[in-house]
Amino acid sequence: MISSRRLAEREGITSAQVRKDLSCFGSFGRRGLGYDVANLRVEIREILGLARRWRVAVVGAGNVGAALLAYRGFEKQGFDVVAVFDRDPARIGIRLGTRVVQDVASLPAVAAREQVEIGVIATPPRAAQEVTDLLVAAGVGGILNFAPRKLFVPAHVALRTVDMAMELESLSFALARARPPRDGSPPRERGARSARA
Amino acid sequence: MISSRRLAEREGITSAQVRKDLSCFGSFGRRGLGYDVANLRVEIREILGLARRWRVAVVGAGNVGAALLAYRGFEKQGFDVVAVFDRDPARIGIRLGTRVVQDVASLPAVAAREQVEIGVIATPPRAAQEVTDLLVAAGVGGILNFAPRKLFVPAHVALRTVDMAMELESLSFALARARPPRDGSPPRERGARSARA
DNA sequence: CGCGGTGCGTGAATGTTTTCACAAGCGGGC
DNA sequence: GCCCGCTTGTGAAAACATTCACGCACCGCG
């Protein structure tokens, strides 16, 4: 068993936050005792939609694509990469993880046949929107984008973008105000969220 | 010139939000006209701490490290990778981008000499905390972590973690509630933030 | 030089999230 | 069986964020 207080300490938040968040989805604890760890784990996986497995396609077999395929964490968390695509003939046919890279031209047919539900974009930015449209047309419900580019998707498709440059900029922002440049100008006002892991 | 309304449309937020956010840091627009694009760009770069260049070290010369070095966006945005480290002798000495991979054993000396300000962790998870401690001891002010692991840093060090599995889980969460499984159970209550790009 | 259209900056109002604080449930000791 | 210390679940309060709406500055035009 674990109490909301100990969970909170581990994550650097308050115990009230832990309890309120969990109470959004049900009543998993026992008063006086706390939460059963094994059961809580199952409940949270259910909440996150990890009770089932998801069929994922990766587009782009460059460094980012290779990093994704090398990462065993996906498989373990319930994500199966069922196809990898690239446009470059030099990459088509090579093996990446357990998959062989296919021509992006075959994406519409393969994605439909394999019932891909989530697409990961690891292409150069200029190809990103085009690939997005292919994935959406193939019926994916969610897209994870690693290309540094704003993408447009229909409202029914979930989109998340990870931009490494933006992450660095956020550090730059935190550092710039933590140790202001040289002059003795006063610190600027509010605005920044606290930087937490 | 560009108005807060047009900026808002581009980003999918409200014009009031644009104006309020900018007003946190100063008064950059002109009534009746809007914002001067070139000037606004300079001001925002200043706010984000991008008016100067930052000295970055990358630890881990695997796929993620290679992806980072290949990405020209950093250099353009003001981040100079001044050193790359790895532990694997097979990787030490090879060139990655414009840098030669050095032994992580030399990190303390090199990071101090090169005045590294930001460290990027692209190692396997089990090495991540150890490398973090080395970077902190070498005096970095910020750490960008790509290892799927919770890191501990002193309060004066800014930390950002990018966990690819977590990003996929967030999509899974959105998809699971958008199209609930098979049974006709009622949708659960609130809890999810809207998924925006 | 005055007028009308435009659009910023900002208090006030509204909405959302986080924190507080406490009744009620639970197990253990006696 | 009863008391006590512990911890959840949750309304109420406080803090925080977003949106509204309007005064005022500004430009262009006649």
Side-chain angles (χ1 to χ4, degrees), chain A residues 94-169:
Chain A
I94 65 172
R95 207 167 62 85
L96 212 57
T98 65
R99 297 285 153 196
V100 172
V101 178
Q102 301 178 72
D103 191 332
V104 75
S106 64
L107 191 154
V110 173
R113 168 159 48 82
E114 293 284 351
Q115 300 185 64
V116 170
E117 299 164 296
I118 294 178
V120 178
I121 296 185
T123 66
R126 70 180 180 292
Q129 183 65 57
E130 188 185 338
V131 167
T132 300
D133 297 341
L134 287 179
L135 287 167
V136 170
V140 305
I143 289 182
L144 177 54
N145 172 39
F146 286 99
R149 173 153 214 137
K150 186 167 167 53
L151 295 180
F152 296 88
V153 292
H156 66 275
V157 175
L159 173 64
R160 256 190 108 74
T161 296
V162 176
D163 184 334
M164 299 180 184
M166 270 193 197
E167 303 295 334
L168 273 182
E169 283 164 20

Side-chain angles (χ1 to χ4, degrees), chain B residues 66-129:
Chain B
L68 292 166
L69 271 293
Y71 177 25
R72 315 294 297 169
F74 290 154
E75 206 179 323
K76 212 170 55 187
Q77 286 301 319
F79 300 94
D80 294 317
V81 176
V82 296
V84 182
F85 301 98
D86 204 299
R87 165 175 292 168
D88 183 353
R91 286 185 183 148
I92 295 168
I94 65 173
R95 208 167 59 85
L96 212 58
T98 64
R99 297 286 153 195
V100 172
V101 178
Q102 301 178 70
D103 190 332
V104 75
S106 64
L107 192 155
V110 174
R113 168 157 47 81
E114 293 285 350
Q115 298 185 64
V116 169
E117 299 164 295
I118 295 177
V120 178
I121 296 184
T123 66
R126 70 179 180 293
Q129 183 65 56

Side-chain angles (χ1 to χ4, degrees), chain A residues 16-28 35 47, chain B residues 189-190:
Chain A
Q17 189 76 73
V18 170
R19 295 199 300 278
K20 256 277 195 288
D21 285 1
L22 288 173
S23 78
C24 275
F25 301 99
S27 195
F28 309 121
Y35 300 87
I47 292 166
Chain B
E189 311 95 278
R190 3 177 231 135

